[in-house]
Amino acid sequence: MSTIGVIHYNWPGYDLEEFAQRASEIGYKSCELQIGDIWDEANDDGGRQAEAVRDMLAGYGIAVSAVAAGNDFIQADRSDFDAQIARYRRVCEIIPHTGTDIIRSDGGWNRGGLVAEDLWDGLMLEAFQRCAEFLETLNVRIALDNHGVSTNDGDWQLSLIERVGSTRLGVNLDTMNYRWFGHDLAKIDHFYEIIAPHTFHTHMKDGTGSRSDYKGAALGDGEIHLDKVLACLSQAGYDGAFTAEYEGPETADGIGYEKCHRWLAAHVG
């Protein structure tokens, strides 16, 4: 069942419970968390923190729609690559304690610029193939974000899904990130069409421009064809969270997120 949701991590000045209270006041019913919200990697508690966060959010009428894994599969060193796979499996064991089965995932970041770009695809393909081996056992799904520079192409995302061959690998459809990367609006509409049937989670985001010219905006105030997004998702039978992400200037007191909620309530509520 679809919900109107919101991300947690870019609410400046709010701790997690303050965020939950304010998001609930606005009317949000689900949220996406970061793995650090629910798990201390250095002091693994087996999911107890995740359950406490789940219960706290439930007290405000909010369910967890997804948790971002914080993974990075573009690694120059083979031991670091293998460690990322092992960590990812543990993340997939912890996240269901929040009540969601959706792991929002990156491909990789190539931090330090140590890996040649022509190697990125092979590394990410191997990583997600290896992860696919335990997705069924752990009863979780991967929502690969079109984020940063390594995964921000819908044709490539679809190719990866087809090559991995697991129905548990899909996407987190960020409506603005394709534009941020530099694709034109017609190409982005094409991406919505081919990616919608594989969408497990969304970031509903608006704005204008690319890279250094990018400016975030409340939903409906930018150049993104949000009506096209909704039409594609509806046709695909999407019933997950419509999760607002706001990167505009009105951050104080959640004003930008109030505007996003009003737009979502009018269009998908």
Side-chain angles (χ1 to χ4, degrees):
M1 179 178 176
S2 293
T3 59
I4 294 178
V6 65
I7 63 166
H8 162 236
Y9 62 86
N10 71 346
W11 284 59
Y14 289 79
D15 66 21
L16 185 56
E17 186 157 7
E18 290 168 341
F19 153 78
Q21 180 177 353
R22 185 71 182 104
S24 177
E25 290 170 355
I26 292 171
Y28 288 108
K29 299 299 183 184
S30 65
C31 72
E32 179 196 306
L33 300 175
Q34 297 280 296
I35 189 63
D37 292 326
I38 66 165
W39 182 54
D40 180 353
E41 192 168 349
N43 297 285
D44 193 327
D45 65 2
R48 290 190 298 276
Q49 180 181 345
E51 292 168 2
V53 169
R54 175 200 65 200
D55 294 345
M56 181 273 289
L57 290 168
Y60 291 97
I62 295 175
V64 178
S65 61
V67 180
N71 61 293
D72 184 356
F73 293 142
I74 299 179
Q75 299 289 335
D77 185 275
R78 194 69 191 179
S79 63
D80 292 336
F81 179 80
D82 291 338
Q84 280 287 317
I85 304 293
R87 176 189 178 276
Y88 196 90
R89 182 184 179 107
R90 186 57 178 151
V91 165
C92 289
E93 293 170 342
I94 294 294
I95 286 176
H97 289 269
T98 66
T100 188
D101 67 335
I102 297 177
I103 321 298
R104 185 175 70 80
S105 303
D106 293 312
W109 293 93
N110 194 26
R111 302 192 190 281
L114 301 177
V115 182
E117 187 170 349
D118 61 357
L119 300 177
W120 295 1
D121 175 77
L123 287 167
M124 290 186 285
L125 175 61
E126 179 184 347
F128 287 110
Q129 286 174 328
R130 289 173 61 179
C131 291
E133 295 173 3
F134 54 73
L135 297 180
E136 197 76 36
T137 299
L138 299 179
N139 194 28
V140 294
R141 293 179 289 163
I142 295 174
L144 175 63
D145 204 350
N146 51 302
H147 198 192
V149 298
S150 66
T151 61
N152 227 324
D153 183 296
D155 290 320
W156 177 86
Q157 286 176 290
L158 180 59
S159 169
L160 182 76
I161 290 167
E162 292 173 342
R163 285 178 289 158
V164 171
S166 171
T167 59
R168 290 180 176 269
L169 174 62
V171 301
N172 177 76
L173 175 55
D174 187 302
T175 58
M176 180 71 214
N177 278 354
Y178 294 127
R179 181 71 183 117
W180 170 88
F181 183 79
H183 299 291
D184 64 38
L185 294 173
K187 186 69 170 180
I188 294 166
D189 286 349
H190 159 71
F191 290 160
Y192 297 153
E193 292 171 359
I194 64 172
I195 289 301
H198 303 278
T199 298
F200 293 159
H201 195 258
T202 65
H203 284 176
M204 298 298 295
K205 183 171 24 174
D206 207 347
T208 59
S210 301
R211 305 295 179 103
S212 62
D213 294 326
Y214 166 62
K215 291 181 174 61
L219 293 173
D221 290 345
E223 63 182 337
I224 298 304
H225 298 162
L226 295 174
D227 56 342
K228 176 69 171 181
V229 178
L230 296 183
C232 291
L233 290 173
S234 176
Q235 184 174 359
Y238 177 74
D239 64 354
F242 290 89
T243 304
E245 181 176 4
Y246 175 72
E247 295 180 338
E250 296 180 285
T251 58
D253 300 320
I255 297 300
Y257 277 111
E258 287 184 352
K259 292 183 175 182
C260 289
H261 185 273
R262 285 197 295 270
W263 190 94
L264 287 167
H267 291 83
V268 303

